[in-house]
Amino acid sequence: MRISDQVVMKLQALIEQRQMKKGDRLPAERQLAISLGVSRPSLREAIQQLNSQGVLSSRRGDGTYIQQLPEQWPQQLIVNPISHLIEEDPLYRFDVQEARLLLEGGTAWYAALRSTPEDRAKIHHYFDEISRYQNAGDSAQAAVADAEFHLAIAEASHNIVLIQMMRSLFDLLQYNVLLGRKKVYNDPVNGDLLSEQHFQVMDAIDRKDPEAARRAVCGHIEFVINHVRALDEDEARQKRATRLPRVDSK
Protein backbone atom coordinates (compact mmCIF):
# COMPACT_ATOMS: atom_id res chain seq x y z
CA MET A 1 0.00 0.00 0.00
CA ARG A 2 1.32 3.47 -0.90
CA ILE A 3 2.14 5.88 1.93
CA SER A 4 -0.52 8.29 0.64
CA ASP A 5 -3.13 5.51 0.85
CA GLN A 6 -2.12 4.86 4.46
CA VAL A 7 -2.51 8.57 5.22
CA VAL A 8 -5.96 8.54 3.60
CA MET A 9 -7.01 5.72 5.93
CA LYS A 10 -5.66 7.58 8.98
CA LEU A 11 -7.44 10.76 7.89
CA GLN A 12 -10.68 8.85 7.41
CA ALA A 13 -10.40 7.42 10.93
CA LEU A 14 -9.67 10.88 12.40
CA ILE A 15 -12.72 12.44 10.74
CA GLU A 16 -14.94 9.65 12.02
CA GLN A 17 -13.42 9.78 15.51
CA ARG A 18 -14.00 13.53 15.78
CA GLN A 19 -17.48 13.17 14.24
CA MET A 20 -16.77 15.89 11.72
CA LYS A 21 -19.49 16.83 9.26
CA LYS A 22 -19.72 17.72 5.59
CA GLY A 23 -18.51 21.30 5.15
CA ASP A 24 -16.22 21.22 8.20
CA ARG A 25 -12.67 22.50 7.77
CA LEU A 26 -9.79 20.17 8.54
CA PRO A 27 -7.16 21.29 11.05
CA ALA A 28 -4.18 23.26 9.72
CA GLU A 29 -1.63 21.15 7.85
CA ARG A 30 1.03 21.21 10.58
CA GLN A 31 -1.44 20.29 13.32
CA LEU A 32 -3.08 17.61 11.16
CA ALA A 33 0.27 16.00 10.30
CA ILE A 34 1.13 15.79 14.01
CA SER A 35 -2.28 14.33 14.87
CA LEU A 36 -1.92 11.66 12.18
CA GLY A 37 1.75 10.99 12.91
CA VAL A 38 2.77 11.54 9.26
CA SER A 39 5.07 13.87 7.36
CA ARG A 40 3.65 17.03 5.82
CA PRO A 41 4.66 16.00 2.24
CA SER A 42 2.82 12.68 2.68
CA LEU A 43 -0.21 14.53 4.03
CA ARG A 44 -0.19 16.94 1.07
CA GLU A 45 -0.08 14.02 -1.36
CA ALA A 46 -3.02 12.33 0.35
CA ILE A 47 -5.07 15.54 0.41
CA GLN A 48 -4.29 16.16 -3.25
CA GLN A 49 -5.48 12.63 -4.01
CA LEU A 50 -8.74 13.22 -2.14
CA ASN A 51 -9.19 16.63 -3.77
CA SER A 52 -8.93 15.03 -7.20
CA GLN A 53 -11.66 12.58 -6.21
CA GLY A 54 -13.94 15.35 -4.98
CA VAL A 55 -14.18 14.15 -1.38
CA LEU A 56 -12.14 17.09 -0.07
CA SER A 57 -11.85 20.66 -1.33
CA SER A 58 -8.78 22.81 -0.68
CA ARG A 59 -9.07 26.58 -0.98
CA ARG A 60 -5.85 28.59 -1.20
CA GLY A 61 -5.38 30.64 1.94
CA ASP A 62 -8.54 29.23 3.52
CA GLY A 63 -7.91 25.55 4.26
CA THR A 64 -9.30 22.15 3.29
CA TYR A 65 -12.99 21.30 3.65
CA ILE A 66 -14.86 18.00 3.76
CA GLN A 67 -17.02 17.50 0.66
CA GLN A 68 -18.01 13.87 1.28
CA LEU A 69 -18.11 11.99 4.59
CA PRO A 70 -15.82 8.94 4.93
CA GLU A 71 -18.64 6.41 4.54
CA GLN A 72 -19.13 7.79 1.02
CA TRP A 73 -15.44 7.68 0.11
CA PRO A 74 -15.48 4.09 -1.23
CA GLN A 75 -18.13 5.19 -3.74
CA GLN A 76 -15.95 8.09 -4.88
CA LEU A 77 -12.58 6.33 -4.71
CA ILE A 78 -13.48 2.84 -5.95
CA VAL A 79 -16.92 2.46 -7.47
CA ASN A 80 -17.15 5.55 -9.68
CA PRO A 81 -13.72 5.14 -11.36
CA ILE A 82 -14.36 1.45 -12.05
CA SER A 83 -17.88 2.17 -13.32
CA HIS A 84 -16.40 4.66 -15.79
CA LEU A 85 -13.88 2.04 -16.93
CA ILE A 86 -16.68 -0.49 -17.50
CA GLU A 87 -18.65 2.05 -19.54
CA GLU A 88 -15.58 2.69 -21.71
CA ASP A 89 -14.62 -0.98 -22.04
CA PRO A 90 -17.20 -3.62 -20.96
CA LEU A 91 -14.42 -6.23 -20.64
CA TYR A 92 -13.52 -4.65 -17.29
CA ARG A 93 -16.69 -6.21 -15.84
CA PHE A 94 -14.88 -9.56 -15.85
CA ASP A 95 -12.36 -8.07 -13.40
CA VAL A 96 -15.28 -7.31 -11.11
CA GLN A 97 -16.53 -10.89 -11.41
CA GLU A 98 -13.08 -12.29 -10.62
CA ALA A 99 -12.90 -10.05 -7.54
CA ARG A 100 -16.32 -11.36 -6.53
CA LEU A 101 -15.01 -14.92 -6.72
CA LEU A 102 -12.36 -14.15 -4.12
CA LEU A 103 -14.55 -12.03 -1.87
CA GLU A 104 -17.84 -13.91 -1.96
CA GLY A 105 -16.28 -17.33 -1.57
CA GLY A 106 -15.21 -16.12 1.86
CA THR A 107 -18.48 -14.42 2.79
CA ALA A 108 -20.49 -17.56 1.91
CA TRP A 109 -18.09 -19.75 3.90
CA TYR A 110 -18.44 -17.68 7.07
CA ALA A 111 -22.18 -17.15 6.56
CA ALA A 112 -22.62 -20.93 6.70
CA LEU A 113 -20.68 -21.02 9.97
CA ARG A 114 -22.09 -17.93 11.71
CA SER A 115 -25.49 -16.98 10.27
CA THR A 116 -28.37 -16.47 12.67
CA PRO A 117 -32.02 -17.37 11.95
CA GLU A 118 -32.59 -13.66 11.24
CA ASP A 119 -29.69 -13.63 8.75
CA ARG A 120 -31.07 -16.66 6.93
CA ALA A 121 -34.58 -15.19 6.83
CA LYS A 122 -33.14 -12.09 5.15
CA ILE A 123 -31.32 -14.20 2.56
CA HIS A 124 -34.55 -16.11 1.85
CA HIS A 125 -36.44 -12.82 1.51
CA TYR A 126 -34.16 -11.52 -1.24
CA PHE A 127 -34.15 -14.90 -2.96
CA ASP A 128 -37.94 -14.61 -3.23
CA GLU A 129 -37.66 -10.98 -4.34
CA ILE A 130 -35.38 -11.96 -7.24
CA SER A 131 -37.96 -14.48 -8.49
CA ARG A 132 -40.84 -12.03 -8.06
CA TYR A 133 -39.21 -9.25 -10.06
CA GLN A 134 -37.82 -11.64 -12.65
CA ASN A 135 -41.28 -13.13 -13.24
CA ALA A 136 -42.67 -9.61 -13.59
CA GLY A 137 -40.04 -8.82 -16.24
CA ASP A 138 -38.47 -6.06 -14.14
CA SER A 139 -34.75 -6.64 -14.73
CA ALA A 140 -33.66 -3.48 -12.93
CA GLN A 141 -35.40 -4.39 -9.66
CA ALA A 142 -34.32 -8.02 -10.06
CA ALA A 143 -30.73 -6.78 -10.24
CA VAL A 144 -31.20 -4.77 -7.03
CA ALA A 145 -32.66 -7.82 -5.25
CA ASP A 146 -29.84 -9.99 -6.64
CA ALA A 147 -27.20 -7.63 -5.26
CA GLU A 148 -29.07 -7.46 -1.94
CA PHE A 149 -29.09 -11.28 -1.82
CA HIS A 150 -25.30 -11.37 -2.08
CA LEU A 151 -24.94 -8.50 0.41
CA ALA A 152 -27.19 -10.33 2.89
CA ILE A 153 -24.85 -13.31 2.67
CA ALA A 154 -21.89 -11.03 3.41
CA GLU A 155 -23.70 -9.57 6.42
CA ALA A 156 -24.40 -13.11 7.64
CA SER A 157 -20.63 -13.71 7.75
CA HIS A 158 -20.41 -11.36 10.75
CA ASN A 159 -16.94 -10.33 9.55
CA ILE A 160 -16.89 -6.53 9.65
CA VAL A 161 -14.12 -6.21 7.05
CA LEU A 162 -15.89 -8.45 4.51
CA ILE A 163 -19.20 -6.69 5.20
CA GLN A 164 -17.70 -3.24 4.71
CA MET A 165 -15.99 -4.31 1.49
CA MET A 166 -19.26 -5.67 0.10
CA ARG A 167 -21.20 -2.58 1.18
CA SER A 168 -18.58 -0.32 -0.37
CA LEU A 169 -18.90 -2.18 -3.67
CA PHE A 170 -22.69 -2.53 -3.56
CA ASP A 171 -23.44 -0.06 -6.38
CA LEU A 172 -20.71 -1.60 -8.52
CA LEU A 173 -22.04 -5.09 -7.74
CA GLN A 174 -25.57 -4.02 -8.69
CA TYR A 175 -24.32 -2.46 -11.94
CA ASN A 176 -22.33 -5.60 -12.74
CA VAL A 177 -25.31 -7.87 -11.97
CA LEU A 178 -27.54 -5.79 -14.25
CA LEU A 179 -25.05 -6.08 -17.12
CA GLY A 180 -24.93 -9.86 -16.68
CA ARG A 181 -28.70 -10.16 -16.42
CA LYS A 182 -29.23 -8.35 -19.72
CA LYS A 183 -27.37 -11.19 -21.40
CA VAL A 184 -27.77 -14.34 -19.33
CA TYR A 185 -31.36 -13.98 -18.15
CA ASN A 186 -32.78 -13.42 -21.64
CA ASP A 187 -32.91 -17.21 -21.98
CA PRO A 188 -35.63 -18.67 -19.66
CA VAL A 189 -33.52 -21.82 -19.23
CA ASN A 190 -30.65 -19.72 -17.90
CA GLY A 191 -33.02 -17.90 -15.58
CA ASP A 192 -34.13 -21.19 -14.05
CA LEU A 193 -30.54 -22.41 -13.80
CA LEU A 194 -29.33 -19.25 -12.07
CA SER A 195 -32.26 -19.41 -9.67
CA GLU A 196 -31.22 -22.97 -8.83
CA GLN A 197 -27.65 -21.79 -8.27
CA HIS A 198 -28.86 -19.13 -5.83
CA PHE A 199 -30.91 -21.78 -4.07
CA GLN A 200 -27.87 -24.04 -3.71
CA VAL A 201 -25.93 -21.22 -2.02
CA MET A 202 -28.84 -20.48 0.30
CA ASP A 203 -29.42 -24.15 1.08
CA ALA A 204 -25.76 -24.73 1.97
CA ILE A 205 -25.90 -21.77 4.37
CA ASP A 206 -29.14 -23.16 5.87
CA ARG A 207 -27.39 -26.52 6.37
CA LYS A 208 -24.33 -24.80 7.85
CA ASP A 209 -22.03 -26.40 5.29
CA PRO A 210 -19.29 -23.83 4.61
CA GLU A 211 -17.47 -25.74 1.87
CA ALA A 212 -20.72 -26.37 -0.03
CA ALA A 213 -21.63 -22.68 0.31
CA ARG A 214 -18.23 -21.59 -1.00
CA ARG A 215 -18.40 -24.00 -3.94
CA ALA A 216 -21.97 -22.98 -4.77
CA VAL A 217 -21.35 -19.23 -4.84
CA CYS A 218 -18.07 -19.58 -6.77
CA GLY A 219 -19.73 -21.97 -9.23
CA HIS A 220 -22.53 -19.46 -9.72
CA ILE A 221 -20.16 -16.57 -10.45
CA GLU A 222 -17.96 -18.72 -12.72
CA PHE A 223 -21.06 -19.77 -14.69
CA VAL A 224 -21.98 -16.11 -15.26
CA ILE A 225 -18.41 -15.24 -16.30
CA ASN A 226 -18.16 -18.12 -18.79
CA HIS A 227 -21.65 -17.63 -20.17
CA VAL A 228 -21.27 -13.89 -20.72
CA ARG A 229 -17.88 -14.47 -22.38
CA ALA A 230 -19.47 -17.03 -24.72
CA LEU A 231 -22.30 -14.64 -25.59
CA ASP A 232 -19.83 -11.81 -26.22
CA GLU A 233 -17.77 -14.03 -28.52
CA ASP A 234 -20.90 -15.12 -30.39
CA GLU A 235 -21.97 -11.48 -30.89
CA ALA A 236 -18.48 -10.58 -32.12
CA ARG A 237 -18.56 -13.45 -34.65
CA GLN A 238 -21.94 -12.31 -35.93
CA LYS A 239 -20.69 -8.75 -36.34
CA ARG A 240 -17.63 -9.98 -38.25
CA ALA A 241 -19.86 -12.06 -40.50
CA THR A 242 -21.91 -9.00 -41.47
CA ARG A 243 -18.72 -7.31 -42.72
CA LEU A 244 -18.05 -10.02 -45.32
CA PRO A 245 -18.57 -8.80 -48.90
CA ARG A 246 -21.65 -10.25 -50.57
CA VAL A 247 -21.21 -12.49 -53.60
CA ASP A 248 -23.99 -11.97 -56.11
CA SER A 249 -25.35 -15.21 -57.56
CA LYS A 250 -25.82 -15.31 -61.30
Side-chain angles (χ1 to χ4, degrees):
M1 180 182 292
R2 296 179 304 176
I3 293 177
S4 61
D5 293 330
Q6 296 175 26
V7 177
V8 167
M9 293 177 67
K10 290 183 177 182
L11 181 57
Q12 179 177 352
L14 181 73
I15 291 171
E16 291 176 336
Q17 181 183 3
R18 296 187 179 183
Q19 298 182 334
M20 298 180 75
K21 299 180 177 63
K22 183 177 178 179
D24 285 354
R25 184 172 64 179
L26 294 178
E29 181 184 283
R30 182 178 178 182
Q31 180 185 347
L32 188 57
I34 293 172
S35 298
L36 298 176
V38 301
S39 68
R40 294 174 72 175
S42 296
L43 176 61
R44 290 191 201 105
E45 184 180 353
I47 289 177
Q48 184 178 6
Q49 176 183 333
L50 293 171
N51 277 331
S52 68
Q53 297 293 339
V55 298
L56 294 180
S57 175
S58 295
R59 306 169 191 171
R60 185 178 294 275
D62 189 22
T64 299
Y65 291 80
I66 300 171
Q67 296 289 100
Q68 298 288 343
L69 292 176
E71 60 262 28
Q72 298 171 308
W73 289 10
Q75 176 74 24
Q76 296 290 333
L77 301 175
I78 301 174
V79 176
N80 288 348
I82 296 177
S83 295
H84 292 320
L85 284 175
I86 292 174
E87 289 173 0
E88 294 172 3
D89 185 350
L91 290 178
Y92 278 112
R93 68 184 183 274
F94 294 116
D95 286 357
V96 178
Q97 296 285 27
E98 289 176 0
R100 288 182 62 194
L101 275 173
L102 297 174
L103 181 59
E104 295 192 50
T107 60
W109 174 282
Y110 287 111
L113 289 176
R114 300 170 179 167
S115 62
T116 65
E118 292 75 18
D119 293 328
R120 294 190 290 275
K122 189 174 183 180
I123 294 169
H124 278 258
H125 168 74
Y126 286 116
F127 175 82
D128 293 338
E129 287 282 277
I130 296 170
S131 298
R132 182 165 72 87
Y133 286 119
Q134 189 63 37
N135 292 335
D138 191 339
S139 294
Q141 286 302 314
V144 173
D146 197 327
E148 289 280 11
F149 174 81
H150 289 274
L151 181 58
I153 292 171
E155 291 173 343
S157 74
H158 294 273
N159 180 302
I160 59 172
V161 176
L162 291 174
I163 293 169
Q164 189 57 39
M165 290 173 71
M166 283 291 287
R167 285 176 178 167
S168 299
L169 295 172
F170 179 81
D171 287 345
L172 184 59
L173 171 62
Q174 180 182 322
Y175 180 66
N176 192 258
V177 167
L178 182 58
L179 285 176
R181 279 179 165 272
K182 286 180 179 179
K183 289 179 175 289
V184 181
Y185 274 81
N186 284 338
D187 185 338
V189 174
N190 288 335
D192 291 341
L193 183 55
L194 289 170
S195 179
E196 175 62 22
Q197 291 171 1
H198 280 146
F199 176 81
Q200 292 298 330
V201 178
M202 183 172 66
D203 180 63
I205 292 172
D206 287 343
R207 292 186 288 105
K208 297 186 177 296
D209 186 336
E211 181 56 30
R214 186 195 65 78
R215 286 199 310 267
V217 77
C218 290
H220 163 63
I221 296 171
E222 286 173 343
F223 172 83
V224 173
I225 291 174
N226 293 332
H227 204 78
V228 172
R229 282 192 191 278
L231 290 172
D232 284 352
E233 291 170 1
D234 186 55
E235 288 178 5
R237 280 193 295 270
Q238 291 181 27
K239 287 180 181 179
R240 289 195 297 271
T242 61
R243 298 192 186 103
L244 290 173
R246 290 189 175 183
V247 179
D248 295 330
S249 57
K250 294 183 180 181

